[in-house]
Amino acid sequence: MTGGNRISLDDFRHTALGDVGSTNTECLNRARAGDPGLHWITATRQIAGRGRRGRSWVSEAGNLYASLLLIDPAPMDRLHSLPLAVAVAVQNVIQSVMPTGSEPVMIKWPNDILIEGKKCCGILLEGEGLPNGHHALVIGIGINVALVPDHGLYPVTSLHAQGASVSPEDLFARLFVSMAEALRVWNHGQGIAEIIAQWRSAAGGIGQKITVNLPDHSLSGRFEGIDEEGRLMLDLGAGAVQRIAAGDVFFG
Amino acid sequence: MADKKPAIDQSLIRDLANILNETDLTEIEVEQDDLRIRVSRAGTPQYVSAPVPAVAPLQVTSAGAAVAAAPVAEARLSKNAVTAPMVGTAYLSPAPGSRPFVEVGAVVKEGQTILIIEAMKTMNQIPAPRSGKVTEIFVEDGTPVEYGEALVVIE
């Protein structure tokens, strides 16, 4: 599907499972077995849910655990913008279930979603080259619907705690539609300008002082925004702007 | 600045290079009056219009003039090197503190994950392009890699 036709809602499939190790692993296993992609896997519970860098993602029944398998979603040099499209889709979904007058749902670079400054969702993308020459990419999304597992790193919340009364099933139905729309706009990476515009309008902290934790040190500066490749632009002062491809952002 | 010295403030460049090293940045650009100086590490993409060598160790550009300072890194090129397919952060193990995917001397099979490059929160598993023995690992865990940078050598 690289550079192919625009994605539409009818192209997607969904498999709902009970207990799984991890929905991302389920997707990768299916990709290795030849699954053509555009396939959602959801689970009521994950036994071995994981986050970035091997962190575990506590996944008891009550929250949404969903992974979408894509095969050859875009040429390698355009894939970097996919997490932004994912963030846009998830932000839209969560905003759509919030009661009127509630706190805004914000994107934290690159693709965390915060309500009232608290994390309510985790997104983990994993890519892998397949033996058949195709490239598998899995978008893993965990949304705190009813439960608030303590992850230690950030303040956390759930949709129920923020006043939204939605079930994981209803939320997934919305995510199914919203992700299809975001991927259609993203258009295999060719629609990045529109995605960045949508991302910026939902992003938190632009213009503010932030700290970015990198693997072995931290950088503080003013959050300038993101560049055309989705990298965070951090103004370190004296005209020096650092572009960062990966790291953990802290506001204030 | 003394009369005999070039019209570029070398101490400024030296200061910038020091900041570069201290902060582990890949690139710094400063503007002072009509002078603009960019200091970057080897392999960092250059955005200046002046022609630059393919492997530019500490590159310094000002209004129209290009001055190459002393090399800080040697070019490591090998036919058998596996290069980075993207810009990102390299991880040599699946999680902090766990065993690395490969070590020097290890025999790998084609398709086996040799490291992960994280870009934009996407963990990309980099497979061995062929079976063989790992003879060199150029990258350190948790460090940034540039597109095309040699990662490991598989003989």
Side-chain angles (χ1 to χ4, degrees):
Chain A
M1 85 195 184
T2 297
N5 294 329
R6 286 235 175 182
I7 293 169
S8 81
L9 197 56
D10 296 338
D11 299 329
F12 291 84
R13 292 168 297 141
H14 173 212
T15 302
L17 302 173
D19 284 7
V20 300
S22 131
T23 52
N24 266 27
T25 303
E26 282 288 326
C27 280
L28 283 171
N29 286 342
R30 282 161 202 252
R32 291 178 197 124
D35 192 296
L38 298 182
H39 189 173
W40 281 100
I41 304 272
T42 57
T44 49
R45 195 162 79 108
Q46 293 187 111
I47 311 301
R50 58 176 191 271
R52 195 171 158 254
R53 294 299 294 133
R55 289 173 198 156
S56 72
W57 184 263
V58 178
S59 307
E60 291 303 321
N63 288 345
L64 175 63
Y65 312 106
S67 293
L68 173 61
L69 172 65
L70 304 175
I71 302 291
D72 298 334
M76 213 60 166
D77 60 352
R78 288 203 229 121
L79 264 185
H80 50 71
S81 60
L82 178 58
L84 304 179
V86 173
V88 164
V90 177
Q91 190 273 341
N92 270 331
V93 167
I94 295 176
Q95 187 71 73
S96 76
V97 299
M98 295 298 289
T100 47
S102 58
E103 288 287 323
V105 180
M106 295 190 324
I107 301 175
K108 181 169 82 76
W109 181 88
N111 59 5
D112 273 328
I113 310 294
L114 306 182
I115 309 172
E116 220 185 347
K118 297 172 192 160
K119 186 171 161 120
C120 64
C121 153
I123 299 172
L124 177 70
L125 284 82
E126 293 184 285
E128 186 180 300
L130 299 172
N132 61 13
H134 292 286
H135 190 255
L137 200 133
V138 177
I139 302 165
I141 299 166
I143 301 178
N144 295 347
V145 178
L147 309 172
V148 188
D150 183 9
H151 291 283
L153 284 169
Y154 309 92
V156 285
T157 189
S158 72
L159 303 194
H160 287 184
Q162 295 293 329
S165 54
V166 66
S167 68
E169 293 75 22
D170 290 345
L171 193 65
F172 175 72
R174 289 167 181 263
L175 179 63
F176 188 90
V177 174
S178 180
M179 188 65 72
E181 173 59 15
L183 291 175
R184 190 191 65 77
V185 171
W186 181 63
N187 192 21
H188 313 286
Q190 294 172 59
I192 181 57
E194 173 60 24
I195 290 295
I196 284 184
Q198 291 185 19
W199 188 96
R200 277 194 72 102
S201 69
I206 291 180
Q208 294 173 20
K209 188 175 183 299
I210 59 167
T211 298
V212 186
N213 281 4
L214 302 174
D216 56 351
H217 66 291
S218 299
L219 289 173
S220 290
R222 206 175 68 92
F223 182 15
E224 285 273 290
I226 54 174
D227 68 9
E228 66 288 348
E229 296 188 357
R231 290 177 298 183
L232 182 144
M233 294 192 293
L234 190 65
D235 185 346
L236 300 169
V241 173
Q242 171 77 351
R243 289 161 197 256
I244 298 167
D248 291 319
V249 170
F250 295 87
F251 293 121
Chain B
M1 245 186 295
D3 291 340
K4 296 282 163 66
K5 288 242 175 97
I8 291 170
D9 186 348
Q10 292 196 7
S11 66
L12 175 62
I13 294 167
R14 222 173 291 280
D15 286 347
L16 289 174
N18 285 337
I19 293 170
L20 201 69
N21 285 329
E22 280 165 19
T23 56
D24 206 20
L25 297 178
T26 50
E27 183 177 306
I28 293 180
E29 185 174 331
V30 293
E31 212 167 328
Q32 240 177 20
D33 303 324
D34 56 349
L35 175 71
R36 202 175 58 152
I37 296 180
R38 184 201 298 270
V39 180
S40 68
R41 284 179 196 283
T44 305
Q46 294 292 320
Y47 302 103
V48 290
S49 54
V52 293
V55 177
L58 198 62
Q59 191 79 23
V60 179
T61 43
S62 67
V67 180
V72 292
E74 59 188 271
R76 287 152 161 170
L77 297 169
S78 163
K79 281 207 305 273
N80 294 321
V82 180
T83 56
M86 66 198 73
V87 174
T89 302
Y91 296 110
L92 302 184
S93 64
S98 64
R99 276 192 59 192
F101 293 108
V102 294
E103 287 168 286
V104 170
V107 175
V108 295
K109 277 195 296 198
E110 181 183 335
Q112 181 181 336
T113 299
I114 51 174
L115 50 84
I116 285 176
I117 296 179
E118 177 180 24
M120 291 292 302
K121 222 177 175 184
T122 304
M123 312 306 270
N124 298 283
Q125 309 198 14
I126 308 301
R130 60 189 160 273
S131 301
K133 189 175 173 185
V134 177
T135 57
E136 261 186 293
I137 298 175
F138 296 128
V139 289
E140 280 178 50
D141 190 50
T143 55
V145 293
E146 296 293 341
Y147 175 81
E149 185 176 331
L151 303 170
V152 303
V153 173
I154 298 175
E155 302 284 3

